[in-house]
Amino acid sequence: MDKKKMGMAICALSNGEIVIRRKPLTAPLLLLVAGLLLLLPPLLGAEAWPENLSFGITVLAWMAIIVGAGVVLRRCLGDEGLPYLTRSKGYLRYEELYFPKERLSEVVDWCACGEVQKLRAHAGGVPAVVAALYYSEDGTVCACQPFEYVELEYRPLAELKLFHR
């Protein structure tokens, strides 16, 4: 159950409607800049502030800098991307729904028909059977594939199906 392979398969099934795209750098860059700006006041006027307040702001600033820089580096240097629906200009969301072994045939049938509401309504229990879903926020596109947990790995029970509503 590899999310990257599922995303690539969804792109191949969609005939160009869904593409792999990286998330924007706006939020992590803002977090990085906010951390740098938070670092300035304790450095400039350190004797005017109480020591605990100065230390707390410094720790918060360094945390923001580290997290922001880490996310920026991961998004720039990483090879992953997420399925992006060009029509609605939004990323597809990923969800895993877990079912007990007794519901195996029902889950396979629901995934084959694209019955996402039934899958969500009956989800819960031991993760012996998993339905992996990619769906758009507006509900117009959904991709579903069932998996079974066997010998420490998830094996596909059926092919990935893409549904348009």
Side-chain angles (χ1 to χ4, degrees):
M1 200 167 45
D2 187 9
K3 289 170 56 174
K4 185 176 180 180
K5 287 181 183 176
M6 278 185 73
M8 297 300 280
I10 290 170
C11 291
L13 290 173
S14 72
N15 296 328
E17 183 183 14
I18 300 172
V19 295
I20 295 293
R21 190 171 184 187
R22 290 186 179 174
K23 284 195 168 186
L25 294 173
T26 309
L29 283 175
L30 285 175
L31 188 62
L32 183 63
V33 169
L36 291 171
L37 291 176
L38 276 174
L39 200 56
L40 289 179
L43 292 177
L44 296 178
E47 55 275 343
W49 289 21
E51 186 175 334
N52 290 342
L53 180 63
S54 178
F55 177 75
I57 290 175
T58 304
V59 168
L60 183 66
W62 279 109
M63 292 292 288
I65 290 169
I66 291 170
V67 170
V71 174
V72 166
L73 287 175
R74 173 139 188 203
R75 287 190 185 170
C76 288
L77 302 177
D79 62 346
E80 76 271 354
L82 298 173
Y84 181 80
L85 184 61
T86 56
R87 181 182 52 208
S88 65
K89 295 184 177 21
Y91 291 95
L92 296 182
R93 297 179 184 264
Y94 180 77
E95 184 178 2
E96 292 179 0
L97 303 173
Y98 301 108
F99 302 91
K101 182 86 168 173
E102 297 81 33
R103 294 216 173 227
L104 187 131
S105 63
E106 293 172 334
V107 171
V108 171
D109 291 340
W110 291 334
C111 285
C113 298
E115 298 287 341
V116 177
Q117 291 80 12
K118 286 185 181 178
L119 286 168
R120 287 192 178 125
H122 294 53
V126 181
V129 179
V130 177
L133 303 171
Y134 268 107
Y135 60 94
S136 62
E137 281 188 43
D138 57 2
T140 58
V141 175
C142 176
C144 182
Q145 186 174 15
F147 292 89
E148 181 181 18
Y149 186 73
V150 179
E151 297 175 7
L152 301 176
E153 70 176 359
Y154 283 107
R155 292 188 185 152
L157 293 170
E159 293 296 316
L160 178 70
K161 299 274 186 173
L162 182 64
F163 301 97
H164 297 277
R165 302 211 186 331

